[in-house]
Amino acid sequence: HTRSPSGMSNTTTHLTAKPHAFGGAVLSPKHARELTPTLCLAIASALSEQTYNKYSIPYTLWITEAWRVLGWAEPSAALFWEMATMYHTLYLAGRALVEEYENNKIPPILSCGSASSFGSGDAARTTNSPSNTPGTKKFSTAASAKELPVWLVGTFLLLHCEESAYLRNLSGLDERRLYANATTPVLGDFNSLLQNPSFSPRTRVHAGWNDQQHCTAYLLRHLRKILLLASVPHNADALRACMHLAALPTPPSQHQNQQAPPPLEELRRQHEDEHGTVGAAVRLSMDDLEKLHFLFHPPSGGGVDDPPLQIGDLLWNVIYNTPMSVDGSIPLGEVEREVRRHLEMEMRSQHDERTNDADTASELTKLSLQGSAERARQPEQGYQKELTYNNLRGTTILLQPNELPETRLHDLVVSECSDCHMYLLQPFEHATIAACSGCTIVVGAVAGLLHVVDCEKTTITSAARRILVSNSNDVLQCVFTPSPPLLVGDNRNCQFAPYNTYYEGMRDDLLATGLAAAVLPENQSPRSDTAPWPPLQCASNKWKQPIELSKLEIPQVGSNSSNQTVDEKGMPTDDSAMQTPILLPTSEFHVLFVPMLEQSRHKDDDDDMLEVMPGSQYCRLLAEVLQLSPFRLPVEYERQTLNKVERMRNIQKLVKNLTEDQQRQFEEELNRGYRDWLVTSGNLRQVLDLVHLERRAGM
């Protein structure tokens, strides 16, 4: 997105669906079946009526209305509130950046309790203190968990009715993988078999149906509702239109379990039949239009170094082609027509690309079941907001930490990769890892949602505000997260373990994503370059407390059920609340060493580590991870790690007692065994990849 000298938007930019909020639409199977778009409008109208012209609603009002209108108990309503709060926090940070406010950083999600703390400063450890410069804009990005705006609650709730979210939330119930119904087996060619809707979502994703067409189609289907919700509760005409639509008879079930979205003509017909002219004359202000940032963005998010798109400016310039008035507003019907044109253009391009991919897949299935299309669609790193790694096979990716902090955080998508090692050492706003098999993936830090979907035999290491695992098999996650991980759908043999690595730049990534705060002594300036780095303060790690959505409101029966504790929102707080996910045994825990092309360790830190763990390079590197990581390992995992160090020392002592010939023979046997292990384990390819990366870096 570019800006003309006069400040008007470049009208060549077009809007596309922003898929990240759709990924966080999670419900228990019961609530997913019962929720409809009509109910979403009904509760948004009820909340608007009770706000008494206030912008936001309190948590207590949401809990009451969620029970009265939706029939949700407090655990489900509290979880929805927490997810909505996360998206609201990131929306406010993005909106502050659009308006060029000073405080546009993502705030930390913990309270440091000190005026000398700062939560998301830059690499130079500068605080976000208010500026005294005249004319500097100030805008708070802190999203209170006690209140949320009505429009965001209603819009985020509406996303839970989208087809893919609905299927994901119900995917753990149907075990009939190979049958169209209870008795009739699925027949046909192999390609058609993979695309049959009776398969699990994991199988369908591997068949190639993983584009964002479903998001675009859903926005087209409910565009009127989305635009109306953007102007409640302050716009009385919009509120009356929402109440009118909520009072209409509920349309037949829209969940048809289709292989592909309906044609554009069918989507337009459905939209007109359901909405008619209701609300078309409502006028939307520029502030209302800017709320569309929650669901729309330029293709791939636009340039990461460019200022975020100003949707109000864009629509005004396209519709009127004149300078915008101070208190300008646009009729909803005209906004709807223009946004629909953008989305339909995107839908057609996605359909063309999908058709080409389907033709390729069909040809491959005729040749061999082992065949695969080796295509890697990856945008140039550092330019697009959304980084995409797609269809990579047997390779190593090393994305180095940023030397300079980015103004905006990237979004990350890793899809349909196999047998890859990926070290993506940067901060991200949202991250999606989909349909990956046999991979090891390290993701720096995620300010919002880390969504792991349709993966198998994959190890993931990351720090993220919220982690969601859906329809995955044999996935190990070594994580830091201040919120309990969520499991949705059909997950099997998934394990959780504490965070297990460290890399240069990790500290800045945690600050940039709001996952940590740096606490300064009262007498130390945040801009000091001579003082040591202040310690990081993080929330407690909830990796041991995963929650299965299907069991969220089911009373836990067992010996510890009477002693189970819950927090103020009714969420379980003890480790025994959910027993189905497996915690990694300490005997299988390993520290992961991240390859780095450049090393910039502090000399003092190296000296300290040498005193603590003298000896091999392995011991020194392990000491670095244990001492520099802000996430302390649980005692039992740390003890297991130190036991490995002790075994290494014992081996070194025994080797020193051997004669020279024995040492040479031992070395030859050790090298031979190591080479055999590299080949049989598949790690030889990663070593060669890293050697090539090092040579390309000129080292």
Side-chain angles (χ1 to χ4, degrees):
H1 175 60
T2 58
R3 302 284 291 181
S4 63
S6 62
M8 296 176 64
S9 298
N10 186 346
T11 56
T12 60
T13 301
H14 72 277
L15 301 175
T16 63
K18 191 176 184 179
H20 309 295
F22 287 90
V26 291
L27 290 175
S28 68
K30 177 179 182 295
H31 296 330
R33 284 193 300 264
E34 296 173 349
L35 187 65
T36 64
T38 300
L39 273 178
C40 297
L41 290 180
I43 193 170
S45 301
L47 293 172
S48 298
E49 285 187 302
Q50 299 186 50
T51 56
Y52 303 104
N53 295 323
K54 294 182 180 179
Y55 180 76
S56 300
I57 58 170
Y59 171 76
T60 52
L61 177 58
W62 160 250
I63 291 295
T64 302
E65 292 302 300
W67 172 256
R68 185 182 68 86
V69 180
L70 303 177
W72 291 5
E74 186 164 1
S76 295
L79 177 60
F80 173 89
W81 185 269
E82 291 174 3
M83 296 291 287
T85 298
M86 175 186 71
Y87 285 109
H88 186 225
T89 301
L90 299 177
Y91 164 80
L92 286 179
R95 175 70 186 276
L97 189 60
V98 169
E99 301 294 341
E100 299 178 350
Y101 285 99
E102 182 189 49
N103 288 341
N104 54 25
K105 301 293 185 180
I106 299 172
I109 59 174
L110 71 162
S111 175
C112 300
S114 170
S116 63
S117 64
F118 60 96
S120 52
D122 55 24
R125 312 196 312 276
T126 58
T127 182
N128 290 324
S129 58
S131 171
N132 295 324
T133 305
T136 302
K137 297 180 180 180
K138 301 179 180 64
F139 185 80
S140 174
T141 59
S144 172
K146 296 181 180 179
E147 291 188 347
L148 285 176
V150 177
W151 72 266
L152 185 131
V153 171
T155 303
F156 185 49
L157 186 62
L158 186 63
L159 301 187
H160 288 63
C161 300
E162 191 270 325
E163 181 73 13
S164 293
Y166 173 82
L167 293 176
R168 179 173 64 243
N169 292 326
L170 269 67
S171 57
L173 301 179
D174 188 5
E175 296 293 337
R176 297 168 297 179
R177 306 292 180 187
L178 300 177
Y179 295 89
N181 52 52
T183 58
T184 306
V186 177
L187 301 177
D189 63 89
F190 184 75
N191 195 45
S192 300
L193 183 68
L194 286 180
Q195 298 165 10
N196 191 281
S198 65
F199 271 81
S200 67
R202 185 187 310 125
T203 307
R204 295 176 64 194
V205 168
H206 279 295
W209 306 103
N210 67 330
D211 56 33
Q212 301 302 333
Q213 263 197 317
H214 58 279
C215 298
T216 307
Y218 187 77
L219 295 179
L220 286 169
R221 177 71 175 79
H222 299 283
L223 187 54
R224 182 76 54 82
K225 299 184 184 71
I226 292 168
L227 295 177
L228 289 173
L229 287 171
S231 56
V232 297
H234 61 276
N235 190 318
D237 293 335
L239 180 56
R240 282 192 291 269
C242 287
M243 296 174 66
H244 185 169
L245 292 174
L248 296 176
T250 302
S253 176
Q254 302 171 50
H255 301 298
Q256 303 299 327
N257 204 11
Q258 298 174 340
Q259 298 181 20
L264 293 176
E265 295 76 11
E266 178 65 17
L267 288 172
R268 280 195 295 267
R269 186 194 63 78
Q270 292 176 354
H271 185 277
E272 291 301 319
D273 290 346
E274 183 173 346
H275 302 90
T277 60
V278 177
V282 172
R283 300 193 70 87
L284 302 178
S285 67
M286 293 298 106
D287 286 340
D288 296 337
L289 295 177
E290 291 306 316
K291 295 172 186 176
L292 299 180
H293 277 284
F294 184 59
L295 294 176
F296 301 97
H297 67 177
S300 299
V304 71
D305 295 326
D306 295 336
L309 178 67
Q310 294 192 354
I311 295 180
D313 286 1
L314 173 67
L315 294 175
W316 181 279
N317 294 334
V318 172
I319 294 173
Y320 296 119
N321 197 25
T322 60
M324 185 178 61
S325 60
V326 177
D327 56 348
S329 62
I330 308 176
L332 184 147
E334 296 188 23
V335 173
E336 180 183 296
R337 189 179 306 110
E338 181 61 23
V339 174
R340 179 174 295 278
R341 182 180 69 83
H342 289 222
L343 295 180
E344 289 182 349
M345 178 171 57
E346 179 68 15
M347 192 89 164
R348 292 187 185 96
S349 64
Q350 291 175 346
H351 179 269
D352 294 341
E353 181 179 347
R354 177 175 171 179
T355 301
N356 294 335
D357 290 347
D359 293 341
T360 302
S362 179
E363 291 300 322
L364 287 169
T365 56
K366 295 177 182 178
L367 296 175
S368 170
L369 298 184
Q370 303 297 328
S372 62
E374 297 246 356
R375 54 186 174 85
R377 294 181 300 176
Q378 178 182 341
E380 296 182 10
Q381 297 178 8
Y383 291 96
Q384 297 297 313
K385 186 180 189 301
E386 187 174 89
L387 294 181
T388 303
Y389 298 88
N390 187 32
N391 278 92
L392 299 179
R393 303 287 184 268
T395 188
T396 300
I397 300 294
L398 177 57
L399 182 61
Q400 289 276 71
N402 287 325
E403 295 183 1
L404 297 175
E406 296 281 355
T407 304
R408 303 168 67 196
L409 299 182
H410 288 288
D411 294 311
L412 174 68
V413 177
V414 180
S415 65
E416 299 187 87
C417 297
S418 63
D419 301 319
C420 292
H421 290 79
M422 310 182 78
Y423 305 95
L424 310 174
L425 310 180
Q426 291 190 9
F428 299 96
E429 185 171 339
H430 296 287
T432 300
I433 302 175
C436 292
S437 176
C439 295
T440 297
I441 303 174
V442 179
V443 179
V446 183
L449 179 69
L450 170 61
H451 189 190
V452 180
V453 55
D454 307 323
C455 293
E456 58 185 5
K457 298 179 181 178
T458 293
T459 299
I460 298 169
T461 295
S462 183
R465 174 163 180 167
R466 174 68 77 178
I467 295 173
L468 172 62
V469 184
S470 60
N471 298 303
S472 294
N473 177 43
D474 196 14
V475 171
L476 170 62
Q477 297 207 71
C478 303
V479 296
F480 166 80
T481 176
S483 307
L486 303 177
L487 292 102
V488 179
D490 180 22
N491 294 289
R492 306 184 184 189
N493 303 320
C494 291
Q495 294 180 305
F496 291 91
Y499 194 85
N500 67 338
T501 192
Y502 177 81
Y503 61 90
E504 290 292 332
M506 176 181 175
R507 175 189 183 86
D508 294 328
D509 292 352
L510 294 175
L511 292 174
T513 54
L515 293 176
V519 183
L520 296 175
E522 296 293 340
N523 58 351
Q524 178 179 331
S525 169
R527 299 182 182 275
S528 173
D529 293 326
T530 58
W533 281 350
L536 292 184
Q537 182 171 341
C538 306
S540 60
N541 193 354
K542 300 296 196 306
W543 69 275
K544 295 178 68 175
Q545 304 173 24
I547 296 175
E548 280 192 280
L549 262 293
S550 61
K551 300 179 180 179
L552 184 60
E553 294 183 2
I554 299 178
Q556 300 301 307
V557 180
S559 58
N560 297 328
S561 59
S562 60
N563 298 325
Q564 180 177 323
T565 59
V566 296
D567 62 14
E568 60 181 5
K569 297 181 180 179
M571 304 293 289
T573 59
D574 64 323
D575 293 349
S576 62
M578 295 295 166
Q579 300 288 353
T580 302
I582 302 173
L583 303 184
L584 183 73
T586 56
S587 60
E588 300 178 14
F589 179 78
H590 301 282
V591 170
L592 177 65
F593 297 109
V594 173
M596 297 290 291
L597 295 182
E598 297 179 3
Q599 295 293 342
S600 57
R601 302 187 189 95
H602 298 284
K603 185 178 184 301
D604 294 339
D605 294 335
D606 281 339
D607 294 341
D608 293 341
M609 286 184 289
L610 287 172
E611 294 177 2
V612 176
M613 289 188 175
S616 68
Q617 183 182 13
Y618 169 79
C619 296
R620 291 194 293 270
L621 292 174
L622 186 59
E624 176 182 337
V625 173
L626 296 180
Q627 293 190 5
L628 297 183
S629 174
F631 311 130
R632 178 69 182 271
L633 284 176
V635 175
E636 61 273 22
Y637 289 89
E638 184 176 27
R639 185 184 301 115
Q640 174 67 18
T641 303
L642 296 177
N643 287 340
K644 295 179 182 179
V645 175
E646 189 62 30
R647 287 198 297 270
M648 179 69 70
R649 288 174 174 171
N650 292 335
I651 292 175
Q652 291 173 339
K653 291 178 181 178
L654 293 175
V655 171
K656 290 180 180 179
N657 295 330
L658 300 177
T659 65
E660 291 185 3
D661 290 340
Q662 289 175 328
Q663 288 184 8
R664 184 168 54 254
Q665 183 179 0
F666 174 79
E667 183 178 354
E668 291 176 355
E669 290 293 333
L670 188 64
N671 287 335
R672 184 181 300 110
Y674 180 62
R675 288 193 296 267
D676 292 342
W677 174 81
L678 283 176
V679 174
T680 57
S681 65
N683 283 292
L684 178 60
R685 191 217 71 244
Q686 182 186 190
V687 172
L688 296 177
D689 287 343
L690 292 174
V691 170
H692 291 316
L693 287 174
E694 190 176 45
R695 289 175 178 174
R696 282 209 304 266
M699 300 182 61

